[in-house]
Amino acid sequence: MNFKNILQCAEKTPLVSLDRINDALGTNVVVKLEKFNPGGSIKDRAAIALIKKAEIQGYLKPGGTIIESSSGNFAISLAMIGAARGYKVIVLVDPKTTNTNISLMKAYGAKVVVVEEKDDTGSYHKTRIKQANELAQVIENSYRPDQCFNILSSYAHYESTATEIYEQTKDEADAIVCAVSTGGQIGGISKFYKEKKSSCKICCVDAFGSGIFSPETYPYKIPGVGLGWTPRNILDVNNIDYVFKIHDESAFIASRLLCRHEGILCGVSSGAVLLGALKLSISMKSTRPIIAVMGDSGERYIDTLFNEDWLYENGIDTTNDIFHFKKLINRIDPPQKSPNIYSNYRDDLIKELKVPNTTITHFPKIKFTKNHGGLHDL
Ligand SMILES: Cc1ncc(COP(=O)(O)O)c(C=O)c1O
């Protein structure tokens, strides 16, 4: 099949059963490999949907500039879209952003601005978002997709990721597990399944130190997971059945084991998701698939996750034994359950961070496309 442009290659990512790991552990986990999206991660889905909507609404005109705060996959997706659609892209990152990610953004032609000022939580999220919003106010014909506050992000996952999993599994999955940061994935998937098939358990993995489901925040190492507050894209925390907190080291080790024992090269958040899915499969005694959404590829972490010196410096065990999974799974605390999941929605930040009025803060009733959100007519 010929595609009209690279963006049409997004979605329809494969589901792959973990034969060797499932055999060894008596589990039933199937991974959804989002690295097969053209920009290399699940973030392509939300990024394409947001830009598509901005074009339809006239927020973004030919030759315009996309401005976003992101240190990783979302920025890379936007940089790719900018190149494919002829937009300039400015990305605000912070000193924690890896050189690999910055190089990828630049490869697609994005301009990268490093924000050095920390916010009141000791992270860079708020200062990055505020500066991006201020920049958008002064640059003409610019658009802020605003992945953190724009509800279209969870809407994209409702229409795209969740629908696709439902169709691929013929509605026979026992549970779906994904990682959480801006909340797009878990918000969209959990809303879809609560409406369509509430018996399917919806779970997310978060980092210890993240403030999404806990009032206590502190630094952690898992990239792409966690936030300082509960993002609005988690439309209703009560749609989530379980939240697993995963230790930094466990996520790194699990991701390496996945590569060694299945030949599946994924990022660090995927290691965390895999552990949540294995734990759930064991505790539910699942007979039907547990779908684990693997957000990106391990190539993005070649200097950390797959660098023995970095692992040694960071005290991360490089064991390769498949049965090490058992130890990691036993380390996982019982999950937080709905409706007792803590939430800390910060709608006050919409004003404080000068969120633009192009950001959609309510879940839309309309659909983008006739066929439940295929992103393909961009
Ligand atoms: C690889 C990866 N997994 C999971 C997530 C979390 O997704 P969301 O921001 O939709 O909650 C991210 C977010 O950056 C990510 O990059």
Side-chain angles (χ1 to χ4, degrees), residues 20 22 49 84 97 101 111 131 140 144 183-184 191 193 196 231 272 307-308 318 344 370:
R20 297 186 66 220
N22 286 334
T97 307
N101 280 355
K111 184 174 169 204
Q131 285 191 29
E140 237 177 88
R144 278 273 294 117
K191 180 174 166 60
Y193 272 87
K196 192 100 176 168
N307 176 335
E308 306 253 326
T318 52
N344 177 26
K370 287 172 255 119

Side-chain angles (χ1 to χ4, degrees), residues 233-252:
N233 267 302
I234 298 187
L235 304 161
D236 180 352
V237 283
N238 295 315
N239 286 342
I240 303 170
D241 294 295
Y242 304 117
V243 177
F244 288 107
K245 290 274 183 119
I246 304 294
H247 294 280
D248 284 349
E249 191 192 13
S250 300
F252 280 84

Side-chain angles (χ1 to χ4, degrees), residues 64-350:
T65 304
I66 299 167
I67 302 172
E68 185 63 357
S69 154
S70 160
S71 62
N73 288 325
F74 193 65
I76 295 166
S77 296
L78 288 174
M80 171 191 69
I81 296 168
R85 303 286 291 169
Y87 298 120
K88 296 182 226 39
V89 177
I90 301 175
V91 184
L92 288 92
V93 303
D94 61 53
K96 281 166 51 189
T97 307
T98 62
N99 289 336
T100 310
N101 280 355
I102 292 179
S103 298
L104 285 168
M105 294 167 203
K106 286 184 176 171
Y108 286 113
K111 184 174 169 204
V112 178
V113 178
V114 183
V115 175
E116 311 261 359
E117 190 191 330
K118 284 189 178 170
D119 62 29
D120 54 0
T121 68
S123 111
Y124 298 90
H125 274 123
K126 287 201 221 166
T127 42
R128 274 191 347 212
I129 293 171
K130 193 161 177 223
Q131 285 191 29
N133 290 338
E134 286 168 352
L135 210 52
Q137 280 172 5
V138 294
I139 296 181
E140 237 177 88
N141 189 14
S142 66
Y143 174 65
R144 278 273 294 117
D146 195 6
Q147 64 162 336
C148 211
F149 289 95
N150 200 332
I151 294 295
L152 288 183
S153 182
S154 50
Y155 186 70
H157 288 290
Y158 175 94
E159 291 281 295
S160 164
T161 323
T163 311
E164 195 175 300
I165 294 173
Y166 186 79
E167 286 172 356
Q168 284 175 317
T169 57
K170 301 185 183 66
D171 98 6
E172 281 175 359
D174 267 348
I176 300 168
V177 185
C178 68
V180 62
S181 175
T182 64
Q185 289 181 62
I186 191 65
I189 295 172
S190 61
K191 180 174 166 60
F192 179 97
Y193 272 87
K194 282 304 148 213
E195 289 170 3
K196 192 100 176 168
K197 191 165 192 290
S198 60
S199 60
C200 178
K201 299 291 177 206
I202 303 300
C203 315
C204 65
V205 298
D206 194 9
F208 281 102
S210 158
I212 297 180
F213 302 108
S214 155
E216 216 195 345
T217 58
Y218 49 89
Y220 53 86
K221 290 200 174 86
I222 309 177
V225 177
L227 196 72
W229 63 93
T230 311
R232 256 285 153 223
N233 267 302
I234 298 187
L235 304 161
D236 180 352
V237 283
N238 295 315
N239 286 342
I240 303 170
D241 294 295
Y242 304 117
V243 177
F244 288 107
K245 290 274 183 119
I246 304 294
H247 294 280
D248 284 349
E249 191 192 13
S250 300
F252 280 84
I253 298 173
S255 175
R256 289 170 56 82
L257 291 175
L258 175 66
C259 185
R260 282 295 172 102
H261 296 287
E262 296 283 351
I264 297 178
L265 185 69
C266 282
V268 188
S269 73
S270 299
V273 171
L274 174 59
L275 287 178
L278 292 171
K279 174 95 179 171
L280 203 60
S281 181
I282 291 167
S283 55
M284 284 175 77
K285 298 187 176 64
S286 69
T287 51
R288 298 185 306 174
I290 306 274
I291 309 300
V293 183
M294 312 270 104
D296 64 4
S297 171
E299 276 152 19
R300 241 150 237 199
Y301 309 91
I302 216 78
D303 293 332
T304 52
L305 176 60
F306 296 104
N307 176 335
E308 306 253 326
D309 292 338
W310 186 91
L311 294 166
Y312 180 75
E313 278 160 28
N314 285 274
I316 296 170
D317 193 351
T318 52
T319 180
N320 284 324
D321 181 354
I322 195 166
F323 292 103
H324 199 63
F325 268 122
K326 285 193 177 161
K327 218 166 158 186
L328 301 178
I329 294 163
N330 288 339
R331 263 189 95 190
I332 303 174
D333 293 336
Q336 280 174 275
K337 288 184 190 164
S338 177
N340 298 322
I341 298 174
Y342 164 92
S343 71
N344 177 26
Y345 289 116
R346 292 288 310 274
D347 288 355
D348 56 308
L349 291 177
I350 292 177

